[in-house]
Amino acid sequence: MKIPNNVDIRLAILPDLGSGAVAFVIVAPAPLKADLSLLRRPRGLSALLTHDAGLSWPDPRGVAIAETALSAGYPVALKFANLADALTCHGRLVREVRQ
């Protein structure tokens, strides 16, 4: 996924009643900070992409949506049913920004 260099990328974990926890990877272009407040405020996100357990990531359609939103200056949240998938995604995005 192509992401601008001036982004904040964070992993957030929320408790989910009944199923353990829900993990988010939040990507926000500067000057925004990638935090959970973006999920709660009106017009805080331009895209919330979900990734169910067992599905491959990255999904080409989801990548295109995220790239478009980020290039236009809007934050994106990726929601994962599986914490291991969220950790892999977070690591991959952080490495891509550093390159």
Side-chain angles (χ1 to χ4, degrees):
M1 183 160 79
K2 299 172 196 149
I3 45 179
N5 290 330
N6 59 343
V7 296
D8 187 28
I9 303 170
R10 301 201 187 186
L11 176 68
I13 302 169
L14 291 176
D16 182 25
L17 299 175
S19 65
V22 176
F24 293 89
V25 176
I26 303 169
V27 185
L32 298 173
K33 295 295 177 196
D35 63 40
L36 290 173
S37 69
L38 294 173
L39 299 174
R40 294 187 295 265
R41 70 176 200 201
R43 290 178 261 170
L45 291 175
S46 68
L48 173 61
L49 304 170
T50 61
H51 299 83
D52 295 329
L55 296 180
S56 64
W57 187 91
D59 171 74
R61 192 170 42 154
V63 168
I65 292 168
E67 287 177 345
T68 300
L70 290 169
S71 69
Y74 298 105
V76 172
L78 308 165
K79 179 183 171 190
F80 292 87
N82 181 307
L83 179 58
D85 292 341
L87 289 167
T88 299
C89 171
H90 179 266
R92 183 182 298 160
L93 293 178
V94 168
R95 281 190 304 277
E96 287 183 21
V97 168
R98 288 184 184 158
Q99 293 179 354

